[in-house]
Amino acid sequence: MDAIAQHFGAIQTAVQTQNGSQLAQLLSCLAPSTPLPPQVAGVVQNAQYAEDCAKHYCGEPWGPIAAKQTCARVALDRGETRKAYDNVVSAYNGFLNAIREESGWVAPLIRTLTFEARVIAERADSEVSKRAKAANAHVAKPNETLRDVEKTLKKGFSACWTDRTGG
């Protein structure tokens, strides 16, 4: 349990100190600042348990965001790109709700989450195409995930554009 407390505790500390750069590194799926301890990877096997642990250490609204980003990171490590994509988009939507109460300190995290959502969507589409090609099948809707993430990312751009916190 110590590794779990450390992982989510570091995220909570970054939130409490409003250290957006550190938070972006801790929540990154593609370029994490530290390796994920095996105990944490084990916890996220059960998404609800992961969210409960993250809420315990990080509180609302950051706990669910941290849990989903951690689940996405583990899914990517296991080659489950679609599962990672679903978690990243869910975390992104939760993040958009959370930043309504925050100021400019979250800008590094906005950049990281936006970039990674797009990259993971591209990877998911690429995997679908590769599987279809290997099976000698046709992809009915090429780049479907990328088109889907576009809608989500537009919400993020809109939130930034209409931000009036002055931070």
Side-chain angles (χ1 to χ4, degrees):
M1 218 42 173
D2 287 336
I4 297 164
Q6 276 186 310
H7 175 72
F8 291 118
I11 292 167
Q12 178 57 16
T13 298
V15 170
Q16 286 177 333
T17 59
Q18 296 188 345
N19 187 337
S21 296
Q22 180 67 26
L23 187 59
Q25 289 176 354
L26 290 167
L27 293 179
S28 175
C29 294
L30 300 177
S33 57
T34 58
L36 201 59
Q39 299 92 330
V40 176
V43 163
V44 299
Q45 292 300 312
N46 179 330
Q48 186 57 54
Y49 183 64
E51 191 167 319
D52 292 344
C53 284
K55 280 182 189 176
H56 174 75
Y57 292 107
C58 301
E60 288 281 352
W62 295 100
I65 297 166
K68 287 177 179 22
Q69 282 295 116
T70 304
C71 288
R73 186 171 163 189
V74 170
L76 280 177
D77 288 346
R78 293 195 172 127
E80 301 170 341
T81 309
R82 182 61 200 203
K83 183 176 181 180
Y85 170 76
D86 291 340
N87 278 294
V88 164
V89 168
S90 182
Y92 192 88
N93 285 324
F95 173 71
L96 291 179
N97 290 328
I99 64 171
R100 291 182 183 148
E101 305 299 321
E102 302 296 345
S103 60
W105 73 270
V106 296
L109 186 56
I110 292 169
R111 187 228 174 264
T112 297
L113 294 181
T114 300
F115 173 77
E116 291 187 355
R118 182 190 55 81
V119 169
I120 293 169
E122 286 175 339
R123 287 183 184 179
D125 282 339
S126 177
E127 285 183 11
V128 167
S129 293
K130 285 178 186 174
R131 279 195 301 268
K133 188 175 182 180
N136 208 16
H138 174 71
V139 178
K141 295 181 181 179
N143 299 320
E144 182 177 11
T145 309
L146 198 54
R147 280 194 292 275
D148 181 57
V149 81
E150 174 192 18
K151 296 172 193 168
T152 302
L153 297 181
K154 282 181 178 178
K155 293 177 196 172
F157 291 124
S158 177
C160 292
W161 184 260
T162 60
D163 176 41
R164 300 290 182 245
T165 62

